[in-house]
Amino acid sequence: MILRPLNARHLMLLLASLLAWLPAAHATDPARTLGQLHHIALRAEEGAPASIVSMAQTEDGWLWLSTRMGLFRYDGFVFEKIPLQPPSSNESEATWTIYAAPGGDLWVAGANGGVARVRDGKATLYGAADGLPDHVAINDFATDGDGGLWATTEVGIYRLDGSRWKEVSSEWGIPREVDMFLEDARGNLWAGTDRNLYVLRKGTHRFEDTGIRSGSASHLMVHPDGSLWQRTGAGFHPLPGEWGKPFPHPHPRRANSTTTAFDRDGNLWTVACAVNLCRMAAKDVGNTTTGDVGEPAMQTFSEDLGMTSQATMTLMEDRDGHVWVSTKMGLDTFRDTWLSRIRFPKPEVYFSVVEDGHGQVWTGTAARTVYPDTLWKLTPDPVALPGFEGTINSAYRDTDGSLWLGGSGKLWHMRDGKPAEVDLPDDAATRGITVQAIARDGDGRLWVSLRLRGVYLRHADGWLPASSIAPFPTLAPAVIHVDPAGKAWFGYLDGTVAMLDGNTLRRFDAGSGLEQGPVTAIATIGDRLVVGSEHGLSFFDGDRFQRLAAQPADRFNSITGIVQSKEGCVWAYGIAGVIRFTPQAWKAALGQPKVPTDVQVLTMEDGAPGPAQLVRPLPTVVATGGGRLWFAGSQGLAWLDSSVPPSLPLPPPVVIKSIVSGASTFHPGDTVRLHDTRDLGVTYTALAPGRPRGLTFRYKLEGVDGFVQDAGNRHEALYTDLPPGQYSFWAEASYDGSRWSRSTPVTVTVTPRLVERTPFKVFCLMVAAGLVWLAHRWRVRLLTQRLRLRLDERHGERERIARELHDTLLQGVQGLILKFQAFVDGLAKEDAARATLERTIDRAEALLVEGRDRVKGLRSHASEEGSLEDRIASLVDDVGIPVYFAVQYGNRRRPVNPVVIDELHSIVREAVINAMQHSHAHSIRITVEHARRSLKVWVSDDGDGFTTVPDAREGNGHFGLVGMRERAQRMGGKLKVQSAPQRGTLVTVRIPARVAYAGNGRKALT
């Protein structure tokens, strides 16, 4: 019992008074014997090391073991060896004394000298170069009230000064030969020699001789009330004066082993006794206690405890109140449980528990082994009833307090502890028929169920079959229950129930809600009849049976016993264990049977004797006087005091052991950064060395898991191909699924690869944009080239047509005109036909001139007939209505492609003609804009306008607009016509700059 106190005494008292109001972990019940405590033996098969010479529990909860094979730590699941020496060292791994210091450090003494300090999983070594004696082992460690670390050796007393050890016996006023150290609850450090006890008071710098005699057999201990006790050859006694008085203090969160100690309930434990393990209840420890095996109150080791070895070495009480005992062959732990197991002299199974009218509890057995079954008186230790042998399959307390015991072909009626045999009906005795249920109804009739024979009724003249009273089934009921109204209820293995009210029998089957298989328990809880079956638990609502929902679904399976304790809790025993409904939970279950309610399940970790025994004897739960409940399980018999509130264990601390990613392993405290691989494996555990069973785990990786992952009893979480980012991992553990303890979160950073980094993505985006831009430019150039080729082809075709017209038609017409002129010249001037022919020749010459002009137009360039502005201006002169013409230039005036001039001139001319002929315009406005990206022309009028744009494809004969659009499209441009009734018409033409302007970085089209 080691404690580092606060700096002020009144603060310590205040803290202790506050802690007194908190529920403390229970150690070992003084009322129970050593054999009744919950015991776990850890041997080599479980990985436990042998020959553990020292034990300690650090403040974080790890259990540490010192052995000749090295240092081990234990979390309740795995024994893990912790290396202290470098891999290349030739030093021995054997360790000696270990010590859990305040603040969390573990100090480990090497068996051949030297010391190691373990902090956060890393060891720091101290040797002769650091001031320690060479090849001399440390025997004991301790911490004084001011935080100084001390060590005892065979050659002197050493104290750690910063990073060096120093022998300080002379300057601190203490002999060199110190047998032991002890830290008391007040913050003082005690040292025992072979003569006297010395104390270093907190805040001082010198030991003082207390004058209290000591010796080689002396042992100093701290009582849970804070007083100091000494064991000498004369016995156990508190130290004189203030030292032997109580001093309130909180329970420490660290522990160190010894050979004799008090647990937190004041029970005395020692391995320094003749049988190597002894225990004495707190009430029996006093000044006259010697600790000898011969003392009547001393509980001693026996073979039936099933310990790892009789050769014990050291013991320790951990911070949860569990007592650990190390032996030559392994490790044993003892702790208290709510249920207390009954230990019989020999293995016993199948119990029929019953309480007589005097408050004495009895149990029969039905093991049917080579050892005869008998009747046991439970005190609670079992005492066999002398002279009685026989299998007991059922037991019932009659209304007068006497007992009825049913066996195989036998029936006993027991009064005042004396069973008397009673005859059974017909040949049941000779054939060994099993009596499997007994009960007396409200009419005073005693009913007996005989296997394979059915139900019989006992009366003054003997036995009558139940069929003589009512139409009973031929099948024998497994259970018989009489409710408070005196009605008898019979439960059958075919899943049905029968109720006898007087002589009226009512049957219930699947049609009444009983669809849960064989009936194995019937009880009255409050005003409800409750039935336990192989596949569930149900209650009778007066009309039919309602099944209670469970989570998980099989939790209420094979219920073979149901009772209600005096506190109002409902208890049921089945294959899941002992099920406890609080009054609130039971009320909720009856109110909403289809909704699972919260229940407490007690398993073997709570002392339950395994799952409930099935078939018979029934029932498996019996409530007796004083609030005790008895449970008959498949692995033994146990009881609990229902008036004592349950000591529910808090969830243990959860720690992250390691994180593995590829070939890299990270330990707690390391920066976890993943570079080469994205896979992640996290190993975690709960520090529950005394109670590892029943724990469930769950975990979550924040940023990846959308919800908490249930892990069951697994201790590892695996993830693959994590995306880059920062994540947080934590794990939780719980005993009951409602209270959870969480580990310290671990931050995991996944660094992005080159292709996942933002600069690289921006670079790729820029490259992609560049490629798109280049592709666009290539496409534009290709389309421009194609358009230019088409325009060149058109221009060449015009020149070809012009040549053909000139060389054929015009030349031919010229020749004809000359021939006609020669013919006319041959006619007389007064000839009337001459004038007609001359007029015809003049008309032909005019047409020839006009044809030549047309051919000239096909071959001419804009430079020959003027610019676009000149062409449009000449067009304006021929219009008979006002025309307003304007030209807008950008940064500079650019020459227009001749072909474009021709096409635009035609489009503008058609628009002007339409405005005059169809729109009846009074004025026209023409605007030309030389923009950087396009050449734009607008023609607007103030005429009548129209609702919809005419379309030649509709057959209305308007081919002008179609031709305008086609001309614009051939140049890669767009033509848009907008109009509205009485608001005129607007024609807009846009020609891309790459087509419209001559040159534009390349030679203009001709």
Side-chain angles (χ1 to χ4, degrees):
M1 304 292 291
I2 304 171
L3 172 70
R4 182 180 181 182
L6 299 177
N7 292 329
R9 186 173 185 274
H10 68 278
L11 290 178
M12 172 62 76
L13 294 174
L14 176 61
L15 178 61
S17 63
L18 291 175
L19 291 174
W21 293 93
L22 298 177
H26 197 59
T28 54
D29 189 351
R32 299 185 182 183
T33 64
L34 186 59
Q36 292 174 340
L37 298 177
H38 186 77
H39 169 235
I40 298 177
L42 300 171
R43 299 178 174 84
E45 298 91 307
E46 289 77 31
S51 299
I52 302 170
V53 297
S54 183
M55 298 182 290
Q57 186 179 39
T58 46
E59 292 180 352
D60 55 12
W62 282 103
L63 184 67
W64 300 85
L65 310 171
S66 174
T67 74
R68 298 295 297 179
M69 296 179 292
L71 180 68
F72 289 79
R73 70 177 183 180
Y74 181 55
D75 59 354
F77 304 94
V78 177
F79 290 91
E80 181 182 4
K81 186 175 182 180
I82 305 299
L84 300 177
Q85 301 290 340
S88 59
S89 175
N90 287 326
E91 295 291 332
S92 172
E93 293 184 319
T95 56
W96 191 238
T97 300
I98 59 176
Y99 169 71
D105 287 348
L106 179 75
W107 290 90
V108 184
N112 296 328
V115 170
R117 181 186 66 189
V118 180
R119 176 184 294 177
D120 297 330
K122 299 178 181 178
T124 303
L125 301 179
Y126 298 84
D130 304 296
L132 288 172
D134 192 19
H135 290 88
V136 176
I138 302 295
N139 293 323
D140 203 1
F141 292 96
T143 304
D144 60 33
D146 298 318
L149 184 67
W150 295 76
T152 67
T153 71
E154 296 177 345
V155 296
I157 308 302
Y158 288 79
R159 189 175 189 272
L160 183 62
D161 184 8
S163 61
R164 288 191 58 82
W165 291 87
K166 182 179 179 182
E167 207 285 323
V168 294
S169 301
S170 58
E171 61 183 273
W172 286 79
I174 187 173
R176 295 168 60 92
E177 299 81 12
V178 172
D179 296 329
M180 67 167 293
F181 278 135
L182 179 72
E183 304 162 19
D184 69 12
R186 296 170 172 83
N188 305 317
L189 178 60
W190 290 77
T193 69
D194 58 356
R195 292 188 178 182
N196 292 336
L197 292 178
Y198 293 80
V199 62
L200 176 64
R201 296 178 183 269
K202 183 179 179 180
T204 65
H205 293 81
R206 194 169 183 83
F207 281 87
E208 62 180 80
D209 189 348
T210 63
I212 302 174
R213 299 295 296 174
S214 181
S216 59
S218 176
H219 189 83
L220 201 60
M221 300 167 291
V222 179
H223 194 274
D225 64 8
S227 61
L228 288 178
W229 284 61
Q230 185 181 25
R231 179 183 185 180
T232 65
F236 292 84
H237 58 272
L239 293 186
E242 63 173 314
W243 314 114
K245 296 180 180 179
F247 185 84
H249 64 288
H251 293 292
R253 294 189 59 78
R254 61 190 178 98
N256 292 287
S257 62
T258 183
T259 57
T260 304
F262 291 103
D263 65 23
R264 66 189 56 188
D265 287 331
N267 305 310
L268 180 67
W269 292 76
T270 181
V271 293
C273 64
V275 294
N276 295 331
L277 178 61
C278 298
R279 175 180 180 265
M280 181 177 287
K283 64 182 180 60
D284 299 317
V285 179
N287 291 339
T288 61
T289 300
T290 63
D292 294 335
V293 176
E295 291 190 74
M298 184 63 72
Q299 305 164 14
T300 60
F301 171 90
S302 60
E303 292 293 338
D304 60 355
L305 287 179
M307 290 183 63
T308 56
S309 172
Q310 298 184 39
T312 57
M313 302 184 72
T314 184
L315 63 84
M316 180 188 73
E317 182 192 36
D318 67 16
R319 66 185 187 183
D320 296 317
H322 307 154
V323 177
W324 296 82
V325 180
S326 67
T327 73
K328 290 286 187 180
M329 299 300 295
L331 191 62
D332 294 83
T333 178
F334 296 88
R335 64 177 172 86
D336 202 12
T337 55
W338 199 5
L339 286 93
S340 180
R341 295 281 294 273
I342 299 297
R343 290 188 177 273
F344 291 87
K346 58 183 179 65
E348 297 286 0
V349 291
Y350 304 116
F351 303 95
S352 300
V353 182
V354 65
E355 182 184 26
D356 63 20
H358 302 290
Q360 177 61 55
V361 180
W362 301 81
T363 183
T365 62
R368 294 184 176 87
T369 63
V370 294
Y371 302 101
D373 289 299
T374 187
L375 184 62
W376 299 90
K377 181 179 181 181
L378 301 177
T379 62
D381 289 333
V383 177
L385 182 65
F388 181 90
E389 289 185 4
T391 297
I392 298 179
N393 298 300
S394 59
Y396 172 72
R397 186 177 73 174
D398 210 337
T399 54
D400 61 359
S402 62
L403 302 182
W404 291 89
L405 307 174
S408 297
K410 292 185 178 181
L411 178 67
W412 295 272
H413 191 198
M414 180 173 168
R415 289 188 176 91
D416 299 325
K418 299 178 180 179
E421 193 168 344
V422 178
D423 292 335
L424 285 173
D426 299 333
D427 59 347
T430 58
R431 300 183 65 87
I433 300 299
T434 299
V435 180
Q436 55 188 24
I438 310 170
R440 188 182 297 275
D441 65 14
D443 294 330
R445 297 173 292 190
L446 184 69
W447 300 88
V448 173
S449 172
L450 298 179
R451 181 175 178 270
L452 304 178
R453 293 299 178 88
V455 182
Y456 284 80
L457 168 66
R458 180 175 175 81
H459 65 102
D461 297 330
W463 297 95
L464 291 176
S467 58
S468 63
I469 304 297
F472 275 83
T474 57
L475 183 66
V479 292
I480 305 176
H481 168 73
V482 178
D483 65 20
K487 302 174 184 177
W489 295 77
F490 304 86
Y492 295 88
L493 296 181
D494 62 356
T496 63
V497 169
M499 185 269 289
L500 182 65
D501 185 4
N503 291 338
T504 302
L505 188 70
R506 182 181 176 185
R507 300 286 302 277
F508 302 90
D509 52 19
S512 305
L514 286 174
E515 299 175 322
Q516 289 86 48
V519 175
T520 50
I522 303 177
T524 301
I525 306 297
D527 59 348
R528 300 284 188 177
L529 186 87
V530 183
V531 173
S533 304
E534 186 172 314
H535 301 298
L537 189 64
S538 57
F539 67 91
F540 186 58
D541 63 4
D543 180 44
R544 59 184 292 108
F545 285 86
Q546 302 288 338
R547 183 179 183 180
L548 298 182
Q551 183 61 39
D554 60 351
R555 172 161 286 178
F556 298 156
N557 283 6
S558 297
I559 298 296
T560 54
I562 309 167
V563 297
Q564 185 174 31
S565 60
K566 61 182 181 180
E567 296 78 24
C569 296
V570 176
W571 302 77
Y573 197 12
I575 59 173
V578 176
I579 300 168
R580 175 178 178 261
F581 293 83
T582 64
Q584 297 78 13
W586 182 250
K587 182 178 179 181
L590 297 182
Q592 293 181 300
K594 297 184 181 300
V595 178
T597 187
D598 291 332
V599 297
Q600 181 182 4
V601 180
L602 307 179
T603 64
M604 295 183 67
E605 287 298 297
D606 305 289
Q613 64 186 23
L614 305 178
V615 184
R616 69 177 69 85
L618 300 175
T620 56
V621 185
V622 176
T624 61
R628 284 191 175 181
L629 303 179
W630 295 81
F631 299 89
S634 58
Q635 299 186 33
L637 183 66
W639 62 271
L640 65 79
D641 187 348
S642 62
S643 63
V644 178
S647 179
L648 301 178
L650 295 174
V654 180
V655 296
I656 306 298
K657 294 182 65 177
S658 65
I659 298 176
V660 177
S661 178
S664 301
T665 300
F666 305 91
H667 297 284
D670 295 344
T671 300
V672 182
R673 187 177 296 273
L674 308 186
H675 298 282
D676 301 328
T677 179
R678 301 295 180 81
D679 296 340
L680 183 70
V682 183
T683 302
Y684 53 85
T685 188
L687 303 184
R691 192 185 176 110
R693 297 170 186 160
L695 271 175
T696 57
F697 294 92
R698 64 185 186 184
Y699 60 84
K700 184 177 184 182
L701 183 62
E702 301 281 358
V704 174
D705 295 327
F707 51 88
V708 178
Q709 306 293 316
D710 291 324
N713 58 3
R714 289 188 295 109
H715 291 238
E716 186 178 29
L718 299 175
Y719 296 91
T720 58
D721 197 21
L722 292 175
Q726 191 173 76
Y727 310 97
S728 179
F729 179 88
W730 49 261
E732 292 181 328
S734 175
Y735 284 111
D736 54 13
S738 59
R739 296 176 300 170
W740 296 84
S741 60
R742 180 176 294 187
S743 68
T744 301
V746 175
T747 301
V748 178
T749 302
V750 180
T751 58
R753 300 185 178 98
L754 175 63
V755 297
E756 295 172 328
R757 295 178 181 174
T758 301
F760 183 82
K761 293 180 179 179
V762 172
F763 171 75
C764 292
L765 184 62
M766 293 176 63
V767 170
L771 293 175
V772 171
W773 182 80
L774 290 176
H776 171 72
R777 294 297 303 167
W778 174 81
R779 179 65 176 172
V780 168
R781 290 178 181 177
L782 178 63
L783 294 176
T784 302
Q785 184 179 6
R786 290 178 179 176
L787 182 59
R788 289 181 182 275
L789 290 175
R790 287 198 297 269
L791 292 176
D792 289 343
E793 291 174 357
R794 181 182 176 191
H795 190 72
E797 182 65 15
R798 290 176 62 177
E799 290 186 341
R800 186 188 65 80
I801 294 173
R803 287 194 301 270
E804 294 295 331
L805 289 175
H806 180 270
D807 295 340
T808 58
L809 179 61
L810 294 181
Q811 292 294 342
V813 172
Q814 182 67 34
L816 290 176
I817 291 175
L818 291 176
K819 290 181 177 181
F820 277 110
Q821 186 63 46
F823 177 75
V824 170
D825 290 339
L827 295 177
K829 292 183 179 180
E830 62 275 9
D831 192 341
R834 182 185 177 110
T836 302
L837 288 175
E838 286 180 348
R839 289 195 299 270
T840 302
I841 291 173
D842 292 339
R843 179 59 180 165
E845 289 179 346
L847 291 176
L848 181 61
V849 171
E850 185 178 357
R852 287 175 177 172
D853 291 341
R854 291 293 182 180
V855 170
K856 182 179 181 181
L858 287 174
R859 298 181 62 91
S860 299
H861 299 301
S863 58
E864 298 175 355
E865 296 191 5
S867 64
L868 176 64
E869 292 79 2
D870 295 339
R871 298 281 296 278
I872 294 177
S874 64
L875 177 65
V876 170
D877 295 338
D878 298 333
V879 179
I881 60 176
V883 178
Y884 303 94
F885 178 56
V887 181
Q888 299 177 1
Y889 297 103
N891 296 333
R892 62 187 178 90
R893 182 175 180 179
R894 305 169 70 179
V896 181
N897 192 306
V899 177
V900 173
I901 292 175
D902 290 344
E903 298 292 351
L904 286 178
H905 176 264
S906 300
I907 292 173
V908 171
R909 182 178 60 186
E910 183 68 26
V912 170
I913 293 173
N914 288 339
M916 295 173 60
Q917 294 181 355
H918 303 292
S919 191
H920 308 100
H922 300 289
S923 64
I924 299 174
R925 184 176 298 276
I926 302 174
T927 303
V928 177
E929 179 183 359
H930 290 259
R932 186 173 65 87
R933 295 181 179 275
S934 63
L935 177 64
K936 304 176 184 178
V937 179
W938 291 275
V939 180
S940 62
D941 63 65
D942 58 357
D944 297 338
F946 43 82
T947 302
T948 58
V949 178
D951 192 341
R953 291 171 296 183
E954 297 176 359
N956 52 22
H958 296 280
F959 295 97
L961 291 178
V962 176
M964 294 165 66
R965 285 195 177 93
E966 291 177 348
R967 290 179 185 272
Q969 290 173 357
R970 282 197 298 269
M971 294 182 291
K974 294 182 180 179
L975 183 138
K976 184 178 181 181
V977 180
Q978 296 173 286
S979 182
Q982 306 304 320
R983 299 185 64 179
T985 303
L986 173 63
V987 177
T988 305
V989 184
R990 290 176 183 267
I991 306 300
R994 67 180 184 272
V995 177
Y997 301 122
N1000 195 26
R1002 59 173 59 216
K1003 184 177 179 181
L1005 295 172
T1006 59

